[in-house]
Amino acid sequence: MAEAPSRSKNSGREPVPLAVWPVGQVSAQYQRAGRYHPGSAAHPGKMLPELARRIIAEYSAPGALVVDPMAGIGTTLVEAAALGRRTVVIELEHRCVALARENLGHALTSEQRRTARVRRGDARRLPALLGGMAGTVDLVVVSPPYACDAGVIDKPAWRSGRRLCDAGTLNYSRDRSNLGHARGQAYALAMEDVYAGCFAVLRPGGLLVTVTKTTRRAGRLFDLAGTTVNLARGAGFIYLQHVVALLAAIRDGELRARPSFWQLTQTRRARARGEPAHVVVHEDVCVFEKPGVG
Ligand SMILES: C[S@@+](CC[C@H](N)C(=O)[O-])C[C@H]1O[C@@H](n2cnc3c(N)ncnc32)[C@H](O)[C@@H]1O
């Protein structure tokens, strides 16, 4: 486990230490091959397994309790179990819950799966969903919806002149209680509840790690990491560290982007409209501490 960043109480005035992690040296498909169920491809917003592994290894010890309240296909679940952590993850969509369970059974040993659980529910009810474990969690990893129209790519439909993403797959599902649909103030209010729940379930000194991506809406960049830092601080957390997780590969000292078909199409369309868009090649990993020790 790496040395934790300085715990001097960061009131918001001190600069937060910055690190860069090259987690995209190998493609996402290759990272998941053989370890995740092929059906996982249908989820439009997955975390890189290498990123989840690195977060868990850096910010928790073997045997620690790791929670993900918005689990998707269960990347945190699988990687935490593989690293010998106890883990409980929550997800709203039945389809994702089934995939996360499938992934748990896919490449892990029965011993690794023994202390891993998937529960269906709303992340805004995290303390109730964890029951007696609330207050004992060592690490919460959360990759919230990015407040953008993520959807499942359908290339054949697109080639025949239809939409790139079927409307039913946008924002994870048609269910409006899925926070993939929330925007602006509604997004902030909902995530305020999620981070308050994360605060309640962590033990004093426990860590919250958020993974977000800068997106572009109507030509304007939306700094989701900045919004997340404000929300987490509002919930009582101390902002400890910022990590730039490089999705691009580094080859011969240069960044080689690995844009998805979706990203490429969106960026090209934005440029065609005259917007100075670039492919975003990183995610923001923000690390927060629940105060209360030492
Ligand atoms: C960015 S994805 C997380 C992906 C995940 N880290 C993975 O690697 O698969 C966000 C997830 O939050 C889920 N979600 C949205 N609203 C939710 C809510 N209210 N409670 C629980 N999960 C929710 C979505 O269904 C989606 O799977």
Side-chain angles (χ1 to χ4, degrees):
M1 187 178 159
E3 183 78 15
S6 161
R7 301 287 167 101
S8 69
K9 301 305 171 209
N10 194 327
S11 61
R13 298 226 174 91
E14 295 169 36
V16 163
L18 182 71
V20 179
W21 292 351
V23 292
Q25 292 299 89
V26 171
S27 74
Q29 290 84 341
Y30 198 84
Q31 290 191 26
R32 290 193 195 98
R35 299 188 69 238
Y36 286 77
H37 189 276
S40 304
H43 190 287
K46 302 175 286 290
M47 208 188 309
L48 279 180
E50 179 61 33
L51 175 55
R53 256 197 307 278
R54 184 112 190 219
I55 290 170
I56 294 157
E58 293 278 344
Y59 300 117
S60 72
L65 177 55
V66 178
V67 165
D68 183 339
M70 303 181 107
I73 65 154
T75 312
T76 302
L77 172 84
V78 170
E79 303 306 330
L83 287 169
R85 273 60 168 175
R86 295 170 294 134
T87 176
V88 181
V89 305
I90 311 292
E91 166 62 51
L92 188 71
E93 298 296 329
H94 287 284
R95 196 171 24 89
C96 294
V97 168
L99 257 179
R101 290 196 174 124
E102 194 78 57
N103 281 328
L104 195 55
H106 201 63
L108 298 178
T109 63
S110 53
E111 180 57 24
Q112 287 170 323
R113 292 195 296 263
R114 203 172 49 81
T115 54
R117 297 283 177 274
V118 185
R119 293 183 183 165
R120 200 201 78 83
D122 191 318
R124 287 168 286 189
R125 296 188 54 250
L126 185 60
L129 289 163
L130 290 192
M133 281 177 279
T136 70
V137 176
D138 297 292
L139 171 67
V140 175
V141 182
V142 59
S143 167
Y146 295 157
C148 66
D149 293 333
V152 177
I153 305 289
D154 185 348
K155 280 194 208 170
W158 183 72
R159 287 199 188 101
S160 62
R162 281 175 287 140
R163 297 175 64 116
L164 182 56
C165 293
D166 178 79
T169 72
L170 283 183
N171 306 310
Y172 306 111
S173 82
R174 289 188 191 275
D175 179 356
R176 303 292 300 183
S177 64
N178 191 306
L179 299 183
H181 290 277
R183 301 284 180 276
Q185 190 63 3
Y187 179 87
L189 286 173
M191 290 310 299
E192 213 172 87
D193 288 347
V194 175
Y195 294 124
C198 296
F199 191 89
V201 301
L202 280 164
R203 63 169 170 77
L207 299 177
L208 164 70
V209 177
T210 60
V211 178
T212 58
K213 195 171 189 173
T214 296
T215 54
R216 189 177 277 275
R217 285 187 73 77
R220 302 182 66 159
L221 282 178
F222 172 42
D223 173 23
L224 184 52
T227 300
T228 303
V229 168
N230 289 337
L231 289 171
R233 278 185 164 148
F237 285 103
I238 297 163
Y239 183 22
L240 284 186
Q241 187 174 21
H242 194 121
V243 177
V244 171
L246 278 182
L247 309 176
I250 303 171
R251 299 270 184 268
D252 300 324
E254 290 190 0
L255 285 179
R256 296 286 153 86
R258 295 182 188 285
S260 63
F261 184 68
W262 168 259
Q263 271 185 303
L264 264 188
T265 314
Q266 295 299 94
T267 308
R268 283 178 181 148
R269 282 183 183 164
R271 287 194 181 183
R273 290 193 298 268
E275 296 165 14
H278 294 274
V279 170
V280 176
V281 295
H282 77 282
E283 284 179 324
D284 294 287
V285 179
C286 297
V287 185
F288 306 92
E289 182 191 20
K290 173 173 174 170
V293 280

